[in-house]
Amino acid sequence: MKKYTLYLMLLVLAVPAWAQKGKTKETTGAQDRAFWVKSLYKISYPVIHNLANGTLKANMPLEKGNNYNLNLKAVTYTEALGRTLAGIAPWLELPDDESEEGKLRKAFRAETLAALKNAVDPQNPDYLNFRTEAQPIVDAAYVAQAFLRAPKMLWQQLDPVTQKRYIEEFKSLRTRTGAYNNWLLFAAITEGFLWNIGEQYDPARLRFGINKLNEWYEGDGWYSDGSSFSMDYYNSFVIHPMMVDLLKSMIEKKRASATDYNRAVDRMARYASFLERSIAPDGTFPAFGRSITYRTAAFQALAQTALMEKLPEGVNPSQVRCALTKVFHLMYEGNQNFDKDGWLVLGFNGHQPEVADVYTSTGSLYMATLGFLALGLPADNKFWTDPPAPWTSQKAWSGQTLPRDHRIEN
């Protein structure tokens, strides 16, 4: 992997100056995309590179929140893989090309496949834990979601032994249960992936998560995370994207109806409209609710809706690109969210360990990659080629014409 490491470093250093310095003028979609790639790579490289080289456990720092209540070493490394993988999967699924980005993506995909192999190799020093504790239910789900998001370039590229090992690890999760909330979707999507590839699966775990979340739907694009509503970003961290990805895999196998899937997409699009409106003219957004240390994962539902080209009426792709680019500049252009070795630090925008939850450690933070799903759109998609456009709060606060907001009925 040493040749890949040097190659990747050279490519990142080759990112144009405008992507390395402060954003002082309006940029093109191509420039925005280059900054997204640079930022996603900056976040995910330490996890993928170290795991590919069997040094994740040796090199990843073990920072944890106050009153942390999990078995740190048994769960944090698995968290780092699952969460990173789910965010980079759509980008890695793109076909190879001869652009600088394409060469970077191809080399990084090779490291990711090596990392995936090491993660389930019992003889590797970085063999990850799926067999004990409840927390791996969560992060196996993000691995499964990544395989659903990148079936050709990730799952199908693994050798048969590694595939078999993942299947066995996923099936081992059935000895445990988790919280009675969004966790139901974690169990469901892992079983859904197994069913999707023709493996034996647990139909009760698959169906129960979907049915229960539908019962917890509150209306206007919002699910309750359990029987009591929580005002936070879990509709984006987990609920909408996993519901949509799971139902998509089921409809492909004729186990869910088009009506169920389309309803879930419509709900996510409505929720995405709230996320887009939450981005202030300066690119800041509210830091409220649980798990704000997940940073840009707050925008997973918006990014996925853009990736699927299902943005709500009145929201065009370029305004989403511009809004998220502004957020990413605030978060990742500097080094306030990284330690000296490039690992994410506990906090929202800086090292702020006091805001970490009792379940938050270094590995947890890699949910941040989930905000970058729109990189799965090719560079010639209108998301990247359309000229810059103001997002809703910019229009509102500058007196421009903006669409009237209204609720949805389903």
Side-chain angles (χ1 to χ4, degrees), residues 8-239:
L8 293 170
M9 289 176 65
L10 289 173
L11 282 171
V12 170
L13 290 174
V15 172
W18 48 259
Q20 300 179 27
K21 298 179 180 179
K23 189 178 180 183
T24 58
K25 61 181 181 180
E26 195 171 78
T27 54
T28 66
Q31 292 170 329
D32 290 342
R33 183 179 178 91
F35 184 74
W36 282 46
V37 170
K38 178 175 182 282
S39 300
L40 180 60
Y41 179 80
K42 180 179 181 179
I43 296 166
S44 55
Y45 175 80
V47 174
I48 297 301
H49 175 71
N50 277 281
L51 185 53
N53 286 279
T55 56
L56 182 68
K57 293 180 181 179
N59 292 338
M60 193 174 92
L62 299 180
E63 191 176 14
K64 57 186 179 181
N66 294 329
N67 302 313
Y68 183 79
N69 62 8
L70 302 179
N71 184 345
L72 180 63
K73 291 185 178 182
V75 303
T76 193
Y77 305 112
T78 312
E79 288 181 283
L81 172 63
R83 295 162 191 231
T84 301
L85 200 66
I88 65 177
W91 181 53
L92 297 184
E93 183 72 351
L94 288 174
D96 292 336
D97 61 61
E98 292 305 311
S99 66
E100 284 191 358
E101 178 195 327
K103 294 173 183 176
L104 175 67
R105 186 172 61 244
K106 182 178 180 180
F108 199 47
R109 186 191 303 121
E111 280 215 308
T112 301
L113 291 169
L116 282 165
K117 181 177 180 178
N118 288 346
V120 290
D121 180 357
Q123 303 306 312
N124 192 278
D126 276 344
Y127 176 54
L128 300 184
N129 174 45
F130 293 94
R131 301 286 177 138
T132 68
E133 316 294 324
Q135 183 62 36
I137 296 171
V138 176
D139 299 295
Y142 283 111
V143 175
Q145 188 173 30
F147 289 152
L148 289 172
R149 287 173 170 174
K152 295 178 182 178
M153 295 299 191
L154 289 183
W155 176 250
Q156 293 174 21
Q157 298 303 313
L158 295 174
D159 63 89
V161 171
T162 300
Q163 288 182 339
K164 185 173 185 295
R165 286 172 172 168
Y166 274 103
I167 291 166
E168 291 172 350
E169 299 290 358
F170 289 171
K171 289 180 179 178
S172 77
L173 298 164
R174 297 169 184 164
T175 62
R176 285 150 283 158
T177 59
Y180 197 61
N181 54 16
N182 68 86
W183 277 54
L184 299 178
L185 284 175
F186 298 137
I189 200 166
T190 307
E191 297 296 336
F193 169 72
L194 290 171
W195 181 71
N196 194 259
I197 61 172
E199 281 292 322
Q200 183 272 332
Y201 72 102
D202 183 338
R205 287 167 79 95
L206 171 62
R207 195 71 235 183
F208 186 63
I210 295 171
N211 293 348
K212 202 63 192 177
L213 264 294
N214 279 327
E215 289 179 21
W216 288 334
Y217 184 65
E218 299 289 349
D220 205 24
W222 290 84
Y223 291 91
S224 177
D225 188 16
S227 58
S228 298
F229 184 82
S230 299
M231 193 65 186
D232 52 36
Y233 290 106
Y234 271 81
N235 270 260
S236 195
F237 293 153
V238 181
I239 298 172

